[in-house]
């Protein structure tokens, strides 16, 4: 993952480099061409100048003399083989360079004292290698300055252009659906960002509203269910008093009673969850966790032994925490009852308080639970329909509310839930 | 014993009345806020069962009214609100007990029973049924002159049965009474069966009458026709 800026700069660098590199051969050939043309003009001019100002006064006897002092302008005896009146390029030995180099050469037919001669005007070209090197160095320097400049400009422009975007990004990063506070975006003059911001605001407002509605709905629904449940249960209690009931009728009532209890508990847990969600448990006090746990344990031990499960506890230190008492009790009950429920007879539970961590390990199935799903509502990890699938999500919500860490791990065939109090 | 039941859900109200009436309680019903206020002003009750959600007013206001008039009836709040602050507020204002809806009727009955006994016998509080004497303050149980030692659960179970004498109580109601919210993780059938069996054995060993009747293995009843 790279930032927008570094990504765009990187791609910009790659593309401009490719283009600049492609341009270099072009530049090289164009430069070489212009250069040659320039030289051609010069040698043509020289030969023209010779014809116009020197030719008329030159004698045949002067030719040797002339040739001795002019390296690049010689008067040669006429031969048919000279390509006349056009510039040719030839590799010739250069005294200055001490090796062969390219020359631009122009031959022109002249006459000296009526006899035909050829006036050769030539000029040494800069070597391709040298031209390439010179151009290359200049081009590279130019290239570096241009790229650095462009990158700088792009950096500054992007920073300025994208600033509202980064502002919005920071704002929505802090957004928390549960807190329900919608961030205020800074005003921006860019149409697209203004659109983005207004759409984000709309989206979040709708989200918060529907989240609130959903939370309230759960609470209201659970509330409304309680009265019919109460009526249902009371009818069953009355029905039980009927002396004329036979055994099979009694069994039906019994199973209805079971169902009614299950519904009641399910409803109670839903209500508790939605109350936590609606943050109705605000008051926190300092609680001696170790003491509270020990008190709960006397009762929980009896429950465990009823299920033929050994419960041992190792409370290493006193632990004082800020918490809501009802919720803390519910947390302990849920975790331990969970450990009893998903155990087998002859199994064991070990509770440990160490530092500020509370940990419960229990025997049970040999298969680890799905770490992702285990704290979700109604996500039963096994086929067995024990419990109502809300216990651990209640634990999770309680921890979230208090800002505690909660987790699950499976080690040495033991299921282990831990809570780290902050 | 006179009870005023303030509850707007007629069906529930009628069921409660039916259940309680056979227990030598005289029940009167109020279905609205104003009806309740009127009745409190006119008559005296030993116990008031108060629902908090009433048409025409908040049940907590009635509670304040009762306390302002210095009426010393026992008060049990029965509420579907179940929110903790309601419970705390109710108990602070002066309610004696709080029962969240839905609840088994035997649970309500035993709460009323306990409340009435607390109010009427504040010094020595003994309970006698079929030759069994229970000292509610010392929490001891005697059959004739023999003291029998019961576990906490067995003691609670005995009180629950006697508090609902001559009524069939379902195993679930017993399990819930004994273990509260944890009832769902117990195999309630075996759990209750084991406790009943132990209690029966202990009473029997001490020479008590066989008062605990099992109804088709699904419910239990404390039989005491003399009461």
């Amino acid at each position: 993952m790279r930032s927008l800026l570094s990504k765009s700069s990187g791609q910009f660098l790659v593309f401009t480099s490719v283009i600049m590199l492609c341009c270099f051969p072009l530049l090289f050939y164009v430069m070489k061409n212009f250069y040659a043309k320039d030289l051609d003009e010069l040698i043509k001019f020289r030969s023209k100048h010779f014809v116009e100002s020197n030719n008329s006064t030159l004698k045949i006897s002067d030719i040797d003399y002339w040739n001795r002092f002019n390296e690049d302008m010689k008067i040669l005896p006429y031969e048919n083989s000279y390509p006349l009146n056009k510039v040719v390029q030839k590799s010739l030995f250069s005294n200055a360079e001490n090796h062969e180099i390219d020359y631009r050469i122009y031959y022109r037919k002249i006459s000296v004292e009526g006899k035909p001669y050829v006036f050769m005007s030539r000029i040494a070209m800069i070597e391709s290698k040298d031209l390439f090197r010179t151009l290359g160095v200049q081009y590279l320097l130019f290239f570096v300055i241009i790229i650095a400049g462009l990158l700088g400009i792009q950096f500054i422009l992007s920073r300025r252009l994208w600033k509202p975007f980064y502002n919005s990004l920071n704002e929505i990063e802090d957004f928390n659906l549960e807190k329900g506070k919608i961030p205020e975006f800074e005003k921006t003059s860019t149409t697209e960002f203004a659109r983005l911001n207004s759409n984000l605001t709309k989206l979040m407002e709708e989200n918060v509203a529907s989240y609130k509605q959903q939370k309230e709905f759960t609470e209201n629904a659970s509330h409304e269910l309680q009265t019919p449940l109460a009526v249902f249960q009371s009818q069953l209690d009355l029905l039980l008093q009927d002396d004329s009931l036979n055994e099979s009728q009694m069994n039906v009532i019994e199973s209805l009673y079971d169902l009614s209890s299950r519904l009641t508990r399910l409803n109670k847990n839903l209500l508790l969850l939605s109350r936590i969600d609606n943050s109705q448990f605000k008051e926190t006090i300092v609680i001696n966790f170790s003491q509270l746990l020990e008190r709960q344990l006397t009762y929980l031990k009896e429950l465990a032994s009823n299920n033929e499960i050994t419960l041992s506890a190792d409370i290493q230190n006193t632990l004082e925490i800020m918490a809501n008492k009802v919720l803390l009790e519910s947390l302990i009950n849920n975790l331990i009852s969970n450990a009893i429920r998903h155990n087998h007879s002859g199994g064991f539970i070990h509770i440990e308080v160490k530092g500020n961590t509370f940990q419960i390990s229990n025997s049970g199935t040999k298969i680890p639970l799905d770490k992702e799903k285990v704290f979700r509502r109604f996500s039963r990890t096994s086929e067995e329909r024990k419990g109502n699938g809300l216990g651990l999500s209640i634990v999770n919500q309680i921890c979230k509310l208090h800002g505690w860490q909660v987790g699950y791990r499976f080690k040495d065939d033991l299921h282990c839930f831990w809570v780290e109090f902050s | 014993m006179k009870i005023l039941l303030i509850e707007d859900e007629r069906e529930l109200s009628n069921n409660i009345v039916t259940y309680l009436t056979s227990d030598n309680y005289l029940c009167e019903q109020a279905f609205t806020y104003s009806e309740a206020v009127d009745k409190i002003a006119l008559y005296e009750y030993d116990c008031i069962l108060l629902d908090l959600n009433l048409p025409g007013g908040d049940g907590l206001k009635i509670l304040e009214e009762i306390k302002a008039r210095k009426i010393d009836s026992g008060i049990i709040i029965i509420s579907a609100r179940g929110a903790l602050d309601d419970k705390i507020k109710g108990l602070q204002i002066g309610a004696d007990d709080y029962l969240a809806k839905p609840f088994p009727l035997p649970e309500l009955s035993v709460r009323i029973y306990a409340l009435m006994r607390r109010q009427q016998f504040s010094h020595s509080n003994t309970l006698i049924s079929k030759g069994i004497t229970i000292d509610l303050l010392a929490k001891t149980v005697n059959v004739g002159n023999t003291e029998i030692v019961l576990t906490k659960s067995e003691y609670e179970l005995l009180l629950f049965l006697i508090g609902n004498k001559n009524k069939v109580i379902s195993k679930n109601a017993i399990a819930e009474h004994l273990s509260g919210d944890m009832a769902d993780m117990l195999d309630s059938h075996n759990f209750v069966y084991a406790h009943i069996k132990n209690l029966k054995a202990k009473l029997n060993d001490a020479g008590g009458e066989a008062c605990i009747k099992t109804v088709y293995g699904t419910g239990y009843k404390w039989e005491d026709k003399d009461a």
Side-chain angles (χ1 to χ4, degrees), chain B residues 128-174:
Chain B
I128 301 165
S129 177
K130 297 293 256 180
I132 293 165
T133 317
I134 304 172
D135 186 331
L136 293 169
L137 291 179
K139 297 197 173 172
T140 53
V141 180
N142 283 289
V143 179
N145 289 323
T146 335
E147 182 175 340
I148 54 172
V149 181
L150 298 180
T151 63
K152 191 168 172 285
S153 298
E154 287 160 0
Y155 178 76
E156 292 289 329
L157 174 60
L158 182 62
L159 283 186
F160 194 55
L161 287 168
I162 296 179
N164 283 287
K165 68 179 79 150
N166 299 321
K167 292 267 167 53
V168 180
I169 311 170
S170 84
K171 273 179 183 165
N172 270 293
I174 296 175

Side-chain angles (χ1 to χ4, degrees), chain A residues 106-328:
Chain A
Y106 185 69
Y107 299 96
R108 185 174 173 164
K109 195 181 169 190
I110 51 166
S111 71
V112 180
E113 291 179 318
K115 288 201 164 170
Y117 281 87
V118 170
F119 184 81
M120 186 271 299
S121 168
R122 68 174 189 182
I123 193 161
M125 288 182 82
I126 186 168
E127 281 180 90
S128 276
K129 201 171 68 188
D130 292 343
L131 179 67
F132 190 86
R133 200 185 300 135
T134 317
L135 266 183
V137 168
Q138 284 172 6
Y139 195 72
L140 194 72
L141 200 70
F142 173 72
F143 178 86
V144 168
I145 292 169
I146 288 259
I147 292 277
L150 283 179
L151 274 181
I153 290 169
Q154 208 209 9
F155 190 75
I156 293 166
L157 276 184
S158 299
R159 280 280 287 269
R160 199 183 295 165
L161 277 176
W162 287 96
K163 197 171 175 251
F165 176 77
Y166 286 109
N167 284 345
S168 303
L169 201 63
N170 286 338
E171 290 288 354
I172 50 175
E173 243 164 12
D174 293 337
F175 175 68
N176 184 332
L177 190 55
E178 275 167 39
K179 286 189 185 128
K181 194 178 165 295
I182 295 164
E184 292 267 344
F185 294 114
E186 266 174 54
K187 280 227 157 44
T188 160
S189 54
T190 316
T191 323
E192 284 80 359
F193 291 138
R195 259 174 70 198
L196 179 74
N197 286 351
S198 78
N199 280 322
L200 277 175
T201 308
K202 204 174 131 212
L203 212 75
M204 283 187 285
E205 273 168 358
E206 280 169 2
N207 246 328
V208 166
S210 70
Y211 185 68
K212 196 167 159 240
Q213 225 169 36
Q214 183 216 325
K215 283 200 302 190
E216 283 170 358
F217 174 77
T218 318
E219 189 174 345
N220 291 341
S222 313
H223 261 239
E224 290 305 315
L225 274 171
Q226 280 180 324
T227 304
L229 274 171
V231 175
F232 182 68
Q233 176 133 34
S234 66
Q235 296 281 32
L236 288 175
D237 279 322
L238 283 186
L239 191 55
L240 271 177
Q241 311 312 322
D242 192 337
D243 288 335
S244 63
L245 290 173
N246 64 29
E247 186 166 5
S248 68
Q249 286 165 334
M250 274 298 274
N251 285 333
V252 173
I253 297 175
E254 168 89 0
S255 73
L256 284 177
Y257 213 108
D258 264 340
L259 275 177
S260 148
S261 301
R262 258 171 60 191
L263 277 173
T264 303
R265 272 188 293 270
L266 179 60
N267 201 43
K268 263 188 192 161
N269 281 341
L270 273 177
L271 200 56
L272 178 65
L273 261 181
S274 63
R275 285 219 181 99
I276 299 171
D277 284 349
N278 291 339
S279 47
Q280 291 181 15
F281 295 95
K282 280 184 189 141
E283 305 101 57
T284 52
I285 48 167
V286 177
I287 299 170
N288 185 333
F289 178 77
S290 312
Q291 217 171 36
L292 180 74
L293 180 63
E294 219 136 5
R295 219 173 23 237
Q296 302 267 96
L297 274 182
T298 45
Y299 164 67
L300 290 165
K301 266 183 183 157
E302 194 188 326
L303 277 185
S305 69
N306 276 325
N307 288 270
E308 285 165 25
I309 292 160
T310 327
L311 198 157
S312 59
D314 177 16
I315 301 173
Q316 298 189 356
N317 50 295
T318 30
L319 176 56
E320 288 203 331
I321 49 176
M322 278 292 281
N324 180 290
K325 193 161 181 242
V326 178
L327 293 185
L328 189 61

Side-chain angles (χ1 to χ4, degrees), chain A residues 261-262 264-266 268-269 299-300 302-303 333 337 341, chain B residues 87 99 102 104 107 111 152-153 156 160 171-186 188 191-192:
Chain A
S261 301
R262 258 171 60 191
T264 303
R265 272 188 293 270
L266 179 60
K268 263 188 192 161
N269 281 341
Y299 164 67
L300 290 165
E302 194 188 326
L303 277 185
N333 278 346
S337 68
R341 191 180 295 132
Chain B
K87 181 174 178 177
L99 198 53
E107 187 63 43
R111 301 267 185 121
K152 191 168 172 285
S153 298
E156 292 289 329
F160 194 55
K171 273 179 183 165
N172 270 293
I174 296 175
E176 229 164 276
H177 179 75
L178 293 182
S179 59
D181 284 341
M182 309 291 265
D184 61 331
M185 55 178 225
L186 303 164
S188 63
F191 170 73
V192 174

